[in-house]
Amino acid sequence: MLFTSYEFLGFLLLLFFLYYIIPARHQWKLLLAAGYVFYAVSGWKNCLFILLTTGSTYILALRIDRIHREQAAYLKEHKKELSKEEKKSYKARNRSRQWRLLLTGLFMNFGILAVLKYTNFAIANVNALLSLTGSERQIGFVSFLLPLGISFYTFITMGYLIDVYRGKYPAETNPGKLALFVSFFPQLIQGPINRFDEMTETLFSEHRWNWQEISLGLERILWGFFKKLVIADRILVGVTTIVGDPETYDGIYVFVGMMFYALQLYADFTGGIDITVGIAQVLGIRVRENFIRPYFSKNIAEYWRRWHISLGAWFTEYIFYPVSVCQPMLKFSRFCKKHLGDHVGRRMPVYMASLAVWFTTGIWHGASWNFVVWGLLNGLIIILSQECEPLYDRFHRKFHVKDRFWYRLFQVVRTVLLMSSLRMLDCYRNVPLTFRMFGDMLIHSRLSQLFDGRLMSVGLTVSDYGVLAAGTVILTAVSLAGRKGSVRQQLAAGPAVVRCVLIYGLFLCTLIIGAYGVGYDSSQFIYNQF
């Protein structure tokens, strides 16, 4: 059930109607049922996997939390009787028990994800190694069901389990409420990756009809549909044609395809998140913002603080910090200080943890080497940029250009081009081909190629180009206006006539010039595949 299908719109209308007419104390139960109905539509077998993950997380979190509570009660009761060493020993034993429970949950659930998502990737690499050694033996590929949104709900549940282990908040005792947190359908297929303590305040609360919040939520949904149907699905045709025929579309068309994909990915992913946030707001629920004008970033590190924010926060909290301060890494840091110097020794944990994060980020996006290379290149560029910061500072102090508009614009354009170049690995899905096409773009690009007829053979008409140009202007204008706060709030504070005209115009544009697919169902959101 795609977000942009008629079935989903009917599903939403029915849910919104029931949500505000049933007793408010039962609203969370309706959302739980709606989540599983939504999920079952993609295949009832998928429900078995999400139930297994939810059930195992619920049981393990309760056991970990019980040890926390028993320890606190025991230490309070025997405060005067126990020596410092006895307390330390008692805490260590409990920590060991909790650690084993946590590892059980991590291995079980990440193991399910790894087997379902990465088995064929591993087999392909083993077969490649066998071929290199001259062996004719090949391992057959397997056909596994990949449940919808498994990467997202696995990260959500494992983040919750780790937080309970760390004692950030107690485990949820109601299995239905934990199941709702995991299966909340707007976030299920493309995020954001929300945290349990951030959502509990509104997810399980009773909500009354609030027209102001509902109208703002509906506007956010409409904005998401506009991005998806008018821009992303329209330009998808051009991206597919250019990337699918690299022999025909070479030279400057590699650059055109690269920029087309940058626009498509932004409109598609942020459009989906807009729909998610808007649905949640209509229901009175707050979820994380996942984007903050990423294409206005001045460097790649800032870009990743603005793009897919919840995923970056997850990797930072649950991979970067643990890896950078673990005992083996600290020992390695001391070794490097001794043999390679103090600076390298201090920075080495950061380097290694960053590369671990970016390797995981790449493999999370897809079980293929193009995503691994894409992730590692992001990490290497960020590390290199951090090491060059003293040079940047000297340059800025000498030439006083840091606050000049033209220089800031140069930084923004540089970042967009750099990120779009790296995204070519996502476009072509083949590492050697990507580097070949990148080189071809740099060496053989000519402006005259844009007028040789190929631009009109990628599946886009003159009117399509006009719509895309106008849509890009609108996206840019909204992003610029967003620097002063929520655009919807700004419109709400202005004249009602202006607000109505703009919203009605956006609705008509989406309805009339939206790019619809077969059966009037738009193409799948890009991040559904993860």
Side-chain angles (χ1 to χ4, degrees), residues 186-230:
Q187 70 174 9
L188 198 55
I189 57 176
Q190 57 186 346
I193 301 172
N194 291 292
R195 288 179 46 153
F196 185 75
D197 55 332
E198 294 174 341
M199 290 198 67
T200 50
E201 184 179 344
T202 56
L203 185 60
F204 310 129
S205 302
E206 298 180 5
H207 301 284
R208 305 296 177 185
W209 180 273
N210 183 329
W211 174 244
Q212 182 178 6
E213 286 297 306
I214 291 172
S215 62
L216 290 174
L218 293 174
E219 290 169 17
R220 186 73 179 263
I221 295 172
L222 176 60
W223 178 234
F225 277 119
F226 173 81
K227 287 181 180 178
K228 172 65 174 170
L229 297 176
V230 176

mmCIF file of all heavy atoms in Angstrom, residues 186-230:
data_model
loop_
_atom_site.group_PDB
_atom_site.id
_atom_site.type_symbol
_atom_site.label_atom_id
_atom_site.label_comp_id
_atom_site.label_asym_id
_atom_site.label_seq_id
_atom_site.Cartn_x
_atom_site.Cartn_y
_atom_site.Cartn_z
ATOM 1 N N PRO A 186 3.136 5.320 9.728
ATOM 2 C CA PRO A 186 3.744 6.365 8.895
ATOM 3 C C PRO A 186 5.267 6.284 8.846
ATOM 4 O O PRO A 186 5.879 6.632 7.840
ATOM 5 C CB PRO A 186 3.279 7.660 9.574
ATOM 6 C CG PRO A 186 2.043 7.284 10.319
ATOM 7 C CD PRO A 186 2.296 5.887 10.791
ATOM 8 N N GLN A 187 5.910 5.826 9.940
ATOM 9 C CA GLN A 187 7.369 5.782 9.994
ATOM 10 C C GLN A 187 7.929 4.434 9.553
ATOM 11 O O GLN A 187 9.147 4.259 9.482
ATOM 12 C CB GLN A 187 7.847 6.049 11.423
ATOM 13 C CG GLN A 187 7.529 4.909 12.377
ATOM 14 C CD GLN A 187 8.119 5.073 13.752
ATOM 15 O OE1 GLN A 187 8.658 6.120 14.082
ATOM 16 N NE2 GLN A 187 8.020 4.045 14.570
ATOM 17 N N LEU A 188 7.069 3.487 9.247
ATOM 18 C CA LEU A 188 7.495 2.094 9.111
ATOM 19 C C LEU A 188 8.360 1.837 7.889
ATOM 20 O O LEU A 188 9.267 1.005 7.933
ATOM 21 C CB LEU A 188 6.256 1.187 9.070
ATOM 22 C CG LEU A 188 6.447 -0.300 9.360
ATOM 23 C CD1 LEU A 188 7.121 -0.509 10.700
ATOM 24 C CD2 LEU A 188 5.107 -1.010 9.327
ATOM 25 N N ILE A 189 8.119 2.538 6.791
ATOM 26 C CA ILE A 189 8.795 2.159 5.552
ATOM 27 C C ILE A 189 9.941 3.073 5.158
ATOM 28 O O ILE A 189 10.742 2.711 4.298
ATOM 29 C CB ILE A 189 7.786 2.068 4.379
ATOM 30 C CG1 ILE A 189 7.043 3.389 4.189
ATOM 31 C CG2 ILE A 189 6.815 0.939 4.607
ATOM 32 C CD1 ILE A 189 6.114 3.392 2.994
ATOM 33 N N GLN A 190 10.050 4.271 5.740
ATOM 34 C CA GLN A 190 11.175 5.131 5.380
ATOM 35 C C GLN A 190 11.575 6.086 6.498
ATOM 36 O O GLN A 190 12.312 7.041 6.275
ATOM 37 C CB GLN A 190 10.869 5.922 4.109
ATOM 38 C CG GLN A 190 9.622 6.771 4.182
ATOM 39 C CD GLN A 190 9.301 7.411 2.844
ATOM 40 O OE1 GLN A 190 10.112 7.446 1.922
ATOM 41 N NE2 GLN A 190 8.103 7.941 2.727
ATOM 42 N N GLY A 191 11.157 5.774 7.706
ATOM 43 C CA GLY A 191 11.570 6.593 8.831
ATOM 44 C C GLY A 191 10.625 7.768 9.026
ATOM 45 O O GLY A 191 9.545 7.817 8.445
ATOM 46 N N PRO A 192 11.042 8.708 9.893
ATOM 47 C CA PRO A 192 12.313 8.766 10.615
ATOM 48 C C PRO A 192 12.451 7.679 11.676
ATOM 49 O O PRO A 192 11.465 7.069 12.081
ATOM 50 C CB PRO A 192 12.309 10.158 11.245
ATOM 51 C CG PRO A 192 10.854 10.498 11.382
ATOM 52 C CD PRO A 192 10.171 9.861 10.206
ATOM 53 N N ILE A 193 13.705 7.446 12.114
ATOM 54 C CA ILE A 193 13.982 6.445 13.143
ATOM 55 C C ILE A 193 13.808 7.129 14.500
ATOM 56 O O ILE A 193 14.726 7.770 15.024
ATOM 57 C CB ILE A 193 15.405 5.876 12.970
ATOM 58 C CG1 ILE A 193 15.546 5.236 11.580
ATOM 59 C CG2 ILE A 193 15.714 4.855 14.057
ATOM 60 C CD1 ILE A 193 16.953 4.808 11.238
ATOM 61 N N ASN A 194 12.621 6.999 15.051
ATOM 62 C CA ASN A 194 12.290 7.711 16.277
ATOM 63 C C ASN A 194 12.766 6.958 17.519
ATOM 64 O O ASN A 194 12.960 5.742 17.491
ATOM 65 C CB ASN A 194 10.775 7.917 16.362
ATOM 66 C CG ASN A 194 10.277 8.903 15.327
ATOM 67 O OD1 ASN A 194 10.565 10.085 15.396
ATOM 68 N ND2 ASN A 194 9.527 8.413 14.347
ATOM 69 N N ARG A 195 12.934 7.700 18.599
ATOM 70 C CA ARG A 195 13.315 7.116 19.880
ATOM 71 C C ARG A 195 12.081 6.981 20.757
ATOM 72 O O ARG A 195 11.176 7.819 20.723
ATOM 73 C CB ARG A 195 14.364 7.979 20.571
ATOM 74 C CG ARG A 195 15.726 7.916 19.915
ATOM 75 C CD ARG A 195 16.717 8.795 20.618
ATOM 76 N NE ARG A 195 16.657 8.641 22.068
ATOM 77 C CZ ARG A 195 17.699 8.870 22.869
ATOM 78 N NH1 ARG A 195 18.853 9.227 22.364
ATOM 79 N NH2 ARG A 195 17.573 8.737 24.175
ATOM 80 N N PHE A 196 12.082 5.940 21.568
ATOM 81 C CA PHE A 196 10.917 5.632 22.380
ATOM 82 C C PHE A 196 10.584 6.771 23.340
ATOM 83 O O PHE A 196 9.413 7.161 23.467
ATOM 84 C CB PHE A 196 11.171 4.340 23.164
ATOM 85 C CG PHE A 196 9.987 3.863 23.952
ATOM 86 C CD1 PHE A 196 8.919 3.255 23.320
ATOM 87 C CD2 PHE A 196 9.933 4.031 25.329
ATOM 88 C CE1 PHE A 196 7.814 2.818 24.040
ATOM 89 C CE2 PHE A 196 8.836 3.592 26.062
ATOM 90 C CZ PHE A 196 7.778 2.981 25.411
ATOM 91 N N ASP A 197 11.585 7.313 24.029
ATOM 92 C CA ASP A 197 11.317 8.356 25.012
ATOM 93 C C ASP A 197 10.823 9.641 24.360
ATOM 94 O O ASP A 197 10.133 10.444 25.010
ATOM 95 C CB ASP A 197 12.563 8.645 25.858
ATOM 96 C CG ASP A 197 13.772 9.001 25.015
ATOM 97 O OD1 ASP A 197 13.856 8.561 23.868
ATOM 98 O OD2 ASP A 197 14.653 9.724 25.525
ATOM 99 N N GLU A 198 11.145 9.869 23.087
ATOM 100 C CA GLU A 198 10.677 11.064 22.397
ATOM 101 C C GLU A 198 9.218 10.932 21.960
ATOM 102 O O GLU A 198 8.511 11.938 21.858
ATOM 103 C CB GLU A 198 11.547 11.332 21.167
ATOM 104 C CG GLU A 198 12.984 11.694 21.484
ATOM 105 C CD GLU A 198 13.839 11.818 20.240
ATOM 106 O OE1 GLU A 198 13.442 11.281 19.176
ATOM 107 O OE2 GLU A 198 14.902 12.449 20.325
ATOM 108 N N MET A 199 8.764 9.707 21.708
ATOM 109 C CA MET A 199 7.420 9.511 21.163
ATOM 110 C C MET A 199 6.361 9.212 22.210
ATOM 111 O O MET A 199 5.166 9.404 21.959
ATOM 112 C CB MET A 199 7.431 8.387 20.128
ATOM 113 C CG MET A 199 8.152 8.733 18.855
ATOM 114 S SD MET A 199 7.713 7.614 17.505
ATOM 115 C CE MET A 199 5.995 8.024 17.227
ATOM 116 N N THR A 200 6.781 8.729 23.391
ATOM 117 C CA THR A 200 5.785 8.286 24.368
ATOM 118 C C THR A 200 4.852 9.404 24.818
ATOM 119 O O THR A 200 3.689 9.160 25.154
ATOM 120 C CB THR A 200 6.482 7.686 25.601
ATOM 121 O OG1 THR A 200 7.492 8.598 26.079
ATOM 122 C CG2 THR A 200 7.122 6.358 25.265
ATOM 123 N N GLU A 201 5.364 10.624 24.828
ATOM 124 C CA GLU A 201 4.553 11.745 25.318
ATOM 125 C C GLU A 201 3.295 11.953 24.494
ATOM 126 O O GLU A 201 2.245 12.332 25.021
ATOM 127 C CB GLU A 201 5.402 13.024 25.314
ATOM 128 C CG GLU A 201 4.673 14.235 25.889
ATOM 129 C CD GLU A 201 5.545 15.478 25.887
ATOM 130 O OE1 GLU A 201 6.779 15.342 25.738
ATOM 131 O OE2 GLU A 201 4.979 16.574 26.034
ATOM 132 N N THR A 202 3.393 11.719 23.177
ATOM 133 C CA THR A 202 2.234 11.970 22.308
ATOM 134 C C THR A 202 1.654 10.708 21.686
ATOM 135 O O THR A 202 0.474 10.691 21.316
ATOM 136 C CB THR A 202 2.627 12.936 21.175
ATOM 137 O OG1 THR A 202 3.754 12.397 20.443
ATOM 138 C CG2 THR A 202 3.004 14.300 21.731
ATOM 139 N N LEU A 203 2.450 9.641 21.558
ATOM 140 C CA LEU A 203 1.974 8.448 20.858
ATOM 141 C C LEU A 203 0.842 7.756 21.614
ATOM 142 O O LEU A 203 -0.104 7.249 20.999
ATOM 143 C CB LEU A 203 3.134 7.475 20.643
ATOM 144 C CG LEU A 203 2.831 6.210 19.824
ATOM 145 C CD1 LEU A 203 2.364 6.565 18.419
ATOM 146 C CD2 LEU A 203 4.058 5.305 19.763
ATOM 147 N N PHE A 204 0.927 7.716 22.926
ATOM 148 C CA PHE A 204 -0.065 6.995 23.729
ATOM 149 C C PHE A 204 -1.058 7.929 24.409
ATOM 150 O O PHE A 204 -1.910 7.478 25.171
ATOM 151 C CB PHE A 204 0.635 6.147 24.796
ATOM 152 C CG PHE A 204 1.740 5.285 24.250
ATOM 153 C CD1 PHE A 204 3.001 5.304 24.826
ATOM 154 C CD2 PHE A 204 1.524 4.464 23.154
ATOM 155 C CE1 PHE A 204 4.023 4.518 24.326
ATOM 156 C CE2 PHE A 204 2.543 3.678 22.643
ATOM 157 C CZ PHE A 204 3.797 3.703 23.231
ATOM 158 N N SER A 205 -0.942 9.226 24.139
ATOM 159 C CA SER A 205 -1.822 10.199 24.796
ATOM 160 C C SER A 205 -3.199 10.220 24.146
ATOM 161 O O SER A 205 -3.393 9.716 23.031
ATOM 162 C CB SER A 205 -1.203 11.599 24.729
ATOM 163 O OG SER A 205 0.061 11.626 25.334
ATOM 164 N N GLU A 206 -4.140 10.825 24.856
ATOM 165 C CA GLU A 206 -5.480 11.027 24.312
ATOM 166 C C GLU A 206 -5.511 12.354 23.554
ATOM 167 O O GLU A 206 -5.030 13.376 24.052
ATOM 168 C CB GLU A 206 -6.512 11.026 25.442
ATOM 169 C CG GLU A 206 -6.553 9.708 26.196
ATOM 170 C CD GLU A 206 -7.580 9.716 27.319
ATOM 171 O OE1 GLU A 206 -8.328 10.727 27.430
ATOM 172 O OE2 GLU A 206 -7.646 8.739 28.076
ATOM 173 N N HIS A 207 -6.056 12.336 22.342
ATOM 174 C CA HIS A 207 -6.030 13.530 21.489
ATOM 175 C C HIS A 207 -7.444 13.960 21.123
ATOM 176 O O HIS A 207 -8.269 13.134 20.730
ATOM 177 C CB HIS A 207 -5.217 13.257 20.221
ATOM 178 C CG HIS A 207 -3.798 12.860 20.497
ATOM 179 N ND1 HIS A 207 -2.836 13.763 20.878
ATOM 180 C CD2 HIS A 207 -3.182 11.650 20.460
ATOM 181 C CE1 HIS A 207 -1.673 13.132 21.056
ATOM 182 N NE2 HIS A 207 -1.863 11.845 20.815
ATOM 183 N N ARG A 208 -7.690 15.236 21.251
ATOM 184 C CA ARG A 208 -8.983 15.819 20.880
ATOM 185 C C ARG A 208 -8.844 16.538 19.544
ATOM 186 O O ARG A 208 -7.755 16.892 19.117
ATOM 187 C CB ARG A 208 -9.447 16.801 21.959
ATOM 188 C CG ARG A 208 -9.502 16.203 23.362
ATOM 189 C CD ARG A 208 -10.517 15.086 23.454
ATOM 190 N NE ARG A 208 -10.514 14.472 24.792
ATOM 191 C CZ ARG A 208 -11.240 13.419 25.119
ATOM 192 N NH1 ARG A 208 -12.039 12.859 24.216
ATOM 193 N NH2 ARG A 208 -11.178 12.906 26.339
ATOM 194 N N TRP A 209 -9.970 16.746 18.916
ATOM 195 C CA TRP A 209 -9.991 17.436 17.632
ATOM 196 C C TRP A 209 -9.413 18.841 17.787
ATOM 197 O O TRP A 209 -9.859 19.634 18.595
ATOM 198 C CB TRP A 209 -11.414 17.526 17.111
ATOM 199 C CG TRP A 209 -11.548 18.214 15.790
ATOM 200 C CD1 TRP A 209 -11.691 19.549 15.569
ATOM 201 C CD2 TRP A 209 -11.535 17.601 14.498
ATOM 202 N NE1 TRP A 209 -11.771 19.815 14.233
ATOM 203 C CE2 TRP A 209 -11.681 18.633 13.534
ATOM 204 C CE3 TRP A 209 -11.422 16.282 14.052
ATOM 205 C CZ2 TRP A 209 -11.717 18.389 12.179
ATOM 206 C CZ3 TRP A 209 -11.461 16.045 12.691
ATOM 207 C CH2 TRP A 209 -11.611 17.078 11.767
ATOM 208 N N ASN A 210 -8.363 19.124 16.995
ATOM 209 C CA ASN A 210 -7.715 20.439 17.003
ATOM 210 C C ASN A 210 -7.526 20.851 15.546
ATOM 211 O O ASN A 210 -6.582 20.424 14.898
ATOM 212 C CB ASN A 210 -6.377 20.367 17.742
ATOM 213 C CG ASN A 210 -5.683 21.716 17.845
ATOM 214 O OD1 ASN A 210 -5.820 22.574 16.981
ATOM 215 N ND2 ASN A 210 -4.936 21.902 18.926
ATOM 216 N N TRP A 211 -8.439 21.670 15.042
ATOM 217 C CA TRP A 211 -8.441 21.978 13.630
ATOM 218 C C TRP A 211 -7.152 22.655 13.171
ATOM 219 O O TRP A 211 -6.666 22.406 12.062
ATOM 220 C CB TRP A 211 -9.626 22.851 13.254
ATOM 221 C CG TRP A 211 -9.568 23.306 11.819
ATOM 222 C CD1 TRP A 211 -9.453 24.571 11.349
ATOM 223 C CD2 TRP A 211 -9.562 22.456 10.657
ATOM 224 N NE1 TRP A 211 -9.381 24.583 9.983
ATOM 225 C CE2 TRP A 211 -9.456 23.294 9.525
ATOM 226 C CE3 TRP A 211 -9.649 21.079 10.463
ATOM 227 C CZ2 TRP A 211 -9.433 22.795 8.226
ATOM 228 C CZ3 TRP A 211 -9.611 20.576 9.168
ATOM 229 C CH2 TRP A 211 -9.512 21.423 8.071
ATOM 230 N N GLN A 212 -6.566 23.490 14.024
ATOM 231 C CA GLN A 212 -5.336 24.167 13.634
ATOM 232 C C GLN A 212 -4.220 23.155 13.360
ATOM 233 O O GLN A 212 -3.545 23.214 12.332
ATOM 234 C CB GLN A 212 -4.893 25.146 14.714
ATOM 235 C CG GLN A 212 -3.636 25.928 14.332
ATOM 236 C CD GLN A 212 -3.233 26.934 15.394
ATOM 237 O OE1 GLN A 212 -3.818 26.996 16.468
ATOM 238 N NE2 GLN A 212 -2.214 27.727 15.087
ATOM 239 N N GLU A 213 -4.042 22.199 14.276
ATOM 240 C CA GLU A 213 -3.003 21.189 14.098
ATOM 241 C C GLU A 213 -3.336 20.255 12.928
ATOM 242 O O GLU A 213 -2.461 19.867 12.157
ATOM 243 C CB GLU A 213 -2.836 20.373 15.377
ATOM 244 C CG GLU A 213 -2.124 21.104 16.497
ATOM 245 C CD GLU A 213 -0.687 21.453 16.106
ATOM 246 O OE1 GLU A 213 0.056 20.534 15.707
ATOM 247 O OE2 GLU A 213 -0.329 22.636 16.198
ATOM 248 N N ILE A 214 -4.599 19.897 12.803
ATOM 249 C CA ILE A 214 -5.007 19.004 11.720
ATOM 250 C C ILE A 214 -4.784 19.666 10.361
ATOM 251 O O ILE A 214 -4.275 19.036 9.423
ATOM 252 C CB ILE A 214 -6.475 18.590 11.898
ATOM 253 C CG1 ILE A 214 -6.613 17.678 13.130
ATOM 254 C CG2 ILE A 214 -7.010 17.898 10.654
ATOM 255 C CD1 ILE A 214 -8.036 17.368 13.509
ATOM 256 N N SER A 215 -5.150 20.942 10.248
ATOM 257 C CA SER A 215 -4.961 21.634 8.965
ATOM 258 C C SER A 215 -3.479 21.761 8.622
ATOM 259 O O SER A 215 -3.085 21.608 7.459
ATOM 260 C CB SER A 215 -5.614 23.020 9.010
ATOM 261 O OG SER A 215 -5.003 23.838 10.007
ATOM 262 N N LEU A 216 -2.643 22.025 9.628
ATOM 263 C CA LEU A 216 -1.201 22.096 9.382
ATOM 264 C C LEU A 216 -0.657 20.739 8.937
ATOM 265 O O LEU A 216 0.203 20.655 8.052
ATOM 266 C CB LEU A 216 -0.470 22.567 10.642
ATOM 267 C CG LEU A 216 -0.680 24.030 11.051
ATOM 268 C CD1 LEU A 216 -0.015 24.309 12.397
ATOM 269 C CD2 LEU A 216 -0.112 24.974 9.987
ATOM 270 N N GLY A 217 -1.187 19.677 9.537
ATOM 271 C CA GLY A 217 -0.769 18.340 9.141
ATOM 272 C C GLY A 217 -1.190 18.004 7.723
ATOM 273 O O GLY A 217 -0.411 17.431 6.942
ATOM 274 N N LEU A 218 -2.414 18.370 7.361
ATOM 275 C CA LEU A 218 -2.893 18.117 5.997
ATOM 276 C C LEU A 218 -2.085 18.903 4.972
ATOM 277 O O LEU A 218 -1.805 18.413 3.867
ATOM 278 C CB LEU A 218 -4.379 18.477 5.894
ATOM 279 C CG LEU A 218 -5.342 17.582 6.690
ATOM 280 C CD1 LEU A 218 -6.760 18.135 6.628
ATOM 281 C CD2 LEU A 218 -5.309 16.148 6.157
ATOM 282 N N GLU A 219 -1.695 20.131 5.327
ATOM 283 C CA GLU A 219 -0.858 20.924 4.427
ATOM 284 C C GLU A 219 0.500 20.249 4.216
ATOM 285 O O GLU A 219 1.030 20.236 3.103
ATOM 286 C CB GLU A 219 -0.665 22.331 4.996
ATOM 287 C CG GLU A 219 -1.910 23.184 4.958
ATOM 288 C CD GLU A 219 -1.750 24.463 5.766
ATOM 289 O OE1 GLU A 219 -0.590 24.834 6.084
ATOM 290 O OE2 GLU A 219 -2.775 25.091 6.097
ATOM 291 N N ARG A 220 1.050 19.687 5.290
ATOM 292 C CA ARG A 220 2.341 19.002 5.178
ATOM 293 C C ARG A 220 2.213 17.758 4.283
ATOM 294 O O ARG A 220 3.106 17.470 3.478
ATOM 295 C CB ARG A 220 2.821 18.606 6.576
ATOM 296 C CG ARG A 220 4.228 18.010 6.648
ATOM 297 C CD ARG A 220 5.300 19.073 6.447
ATOM 298 N NE ARG A 220 6.637 18.512 6.531
ATOM 299 C CZ ARG A 220 7.405 18.522 7.626
ATOM 300 N NH1 ARG A 220 6.959 19.068 8.763
ATOM 301 N NH2 ARG A 220 8.621 18.022 7.619
ATOM 302 N N ILE A 221 1.111 17.040 4.405
ATOM 303 C CA ILE A 221 0.864 15.873 3.549
ATOM 304 C C ILE A 221 0.774 16.302 2.090
ATOM 305 O O ILE A 221 1.372 15.680 1.201
ATOM 306 C CB ILE A 221 -0.424 15.146 3.982
ATOM 307 C CG1 ILE A 221 -0.256 14.550 5.384
ATOM 308 C CG2 ILE A 221 -0.785 14.053 2.974
ATOM 309 C CD1 ILE A 221 -1.546 13.987 5.962
ATOM 310 N N LEU A 222 0.037 17.378 1.826
ATOM 311 C CA LEU A 222 -0.123 17.879 0.453
ATOM 312 C C LEU A 222 1.225 18.286 -0.130
ATOM 313 O O LEU A 222 1.523 17.995 -1.288
ATOM 314 C CB LEU A 222 -1.087 19.067 0.453
ATOM 315 C CG LEU A 222 -1.301 19.765 -0.893
ATOM 316 C CD1 LEU A 222 -1.863 18.784 -1.920
ATOM 317 C CD2 LEU A 222 -2.231 20.969 -0.727
ATOM 318 N N TRP A 223 2.058 18.929 0.669
ATOM 319 C CA TRP A 223 3.390 19.336 0.223
ATOM 320 C C TRP A 223 4.232 18.105 -0.133
ATOM 321 O O TRP A 223 4.964 18.109 -1.119
ATOM 322 C CB TRP A 223 4.043 20.164 1.311
ATOM 323 C CG TRP A 223 5.437 20.642 1.046
ATOM 324 C CD1 TRP A 223 6.534 20.451 1.830
ATOM 325 C CD2 TRP A 223 5.891 21.434 -0.064
ATOM 326 N NE1 TRP A 223 7.640 21.054 1.286
ATOM 327 C CE2 TRP A 223 7.272 21.665 0.109
ATOM 328 C CE3 TRP A 223 5.253 21.952 -1.204
ATOM 329 C CZ2 TRP A 223 8.032 22.393 -0.796
ATOM 330 C CZ3 TRP A 223 6.021 22.684 -2.117
ATOM 331 C CH2 TRP A 223 7.390 22.891 -1.899
ATOM 332 N N GLY A 224 4.101 17.054 0.648
ATOM 333 C CA GLY A 224 4.808 15.816 0.343
ATOM 334 C C GLY A 224 4.332 15.192 -0.964
ATOM 335 O O GLY A 224 5.143 14.713 -1.771
ATOM 336 N N PHE A 225 3.020 15.193 -1.190
ATOM 337 C CA PHE A 225 2.479 14.663 -2.446
ATOM 338 C C PHE A 225 2.962 15.489 -3.640
ATOM 339 O O PHE A 225 3.259 14.939 -4.709
ATOM 340 C CB PHE A 225 0.953 14.653 -2.406
ATOM 341 C CG PHE A 225 0.374 13.458 -1.720
ATOM 342 C CD1 PHE A 225 -0.419 13.587 -0.590
ATOM 343 C CD2 PHE A 225 0.610 12.187 -2.205
ATOM 344 C CE1 PHE A 225 -0.955 12.480 0.054
ATOM 345 C CE2 PHE A 225 0.070 11.063 -1.588
ATOM 346 C CZ PHE A 225 -0.704 11.217 -0.450
ATOM 347 N N PHE A 226 3.033 16.788 -3.468
ATOM 348 C CA PHE A 226 3.523 17.650 -4.554
ATOM 349 C C PHE A 226 4.959 17.283 -4.922
ATOM 350 O O PHE A 226 5.290 17.115 -6.094
ATOM 351 C CB PHE A 226 3.439 19.120 -4.125
ATOM 352 C CG PHE A 226 4.074 20.070 -5.096
ATOM 353 C CD1 PHE A 226 3.392 20.487 -6.227
ATOM 354 C CD2 PHE A 226 5.367 20.551 -4.891
ATOM 355 C CE1 PHE A 226 3.982 21.364 -7.135
ATOM 356 C CE2 PHE A 226 5.969 21.425 -5.780
ATOM 357 C CZ PHE A 226 5.269 21.833 -6.916
ATOM 358 N N LYS A 227 5.817 17.164 -3.917
ATOM 359 C CA LYS A 227 7.214 16.810 -4.187
ATOM 360 C C LYS A 227 7.318 15.463 -4.905
ATOM 361 O O LYS A 227 8.086 15.311 -5.865
ATOM 362 C CB LYS A 227 7.995 16.735 -2.869
ATOM 363 C CG LYS A 227 8.299 18.055 -2.208
ATOM 364 C CD LYS A 227 9.096 17.773 -0.932
ATOM 365 C CE LYS A 227 9.452 19.024 -0.181
ATOM 366 N NZ LYS A 227 10.183 18.717 1.078
ATOM 367 N N LYS A 228 6.567 14.512 -4.408
ATOM 368 C CA LYS A 228 6.654 13.152 -4.955
ATOM 369 C C LYS A 228 6.072 13.049 -6.354
ATOM 370 O O LYS A 228 6.728 12.549 -7.286
ATOM 371 C CB LYS A 228 5.940 12.189 -4.002
ATOM 372 C CG LYS A 228 5.779 10.764 -4.517
ATOM 373 C CD LYS A 228 7.102 10.064 -4.701
ATOM 374 C CE LYS A 228 6.879 8.599 -5.074
ATOM 375 N NZ LYS A 228 8.138 7.940 -5.488
ATOM 376 N N LEU A 229 4.835 13.507 -6.527
ATOM 377 C CA LEU A 229 4.114 13.266 -7.774
ATOM 378 C C LEU A 229 4.469 14.251 -8.881
ATOM 379 O O LEU A 229 4.534 13.882 -10.054
ATOM 380 C CB LEU A 229 2.608 13.313 -7.520
ATOM 381 C CG LEU A 229 2.055 12.237 -6.579
ATOM 382 C CD1 LEU A 229 0.569 12.463 -6.326
ATOM 383 C CD2 LEU A 229 2.288 10.848 -7.152
ATOM 384 N N VAL A 230 4.697 15.503 -8.514
ATOM 385 C CA VAL A 230 4.968 16.516 -9.534
ATOM 386 C C VAL A 230 6.440 16.535 -9.924
ATOM 387 O O VAL A 230 6.771 16.704 -11.106
ATOM 388 C CB VAL A 230 4.533 17.909 -9.039
ATOM 389 C CG1 VAL A 230 4.901 18.982 -10.064
ATOM 390 C CG2 VAL A 230 3.028 17.931 -8.789
#
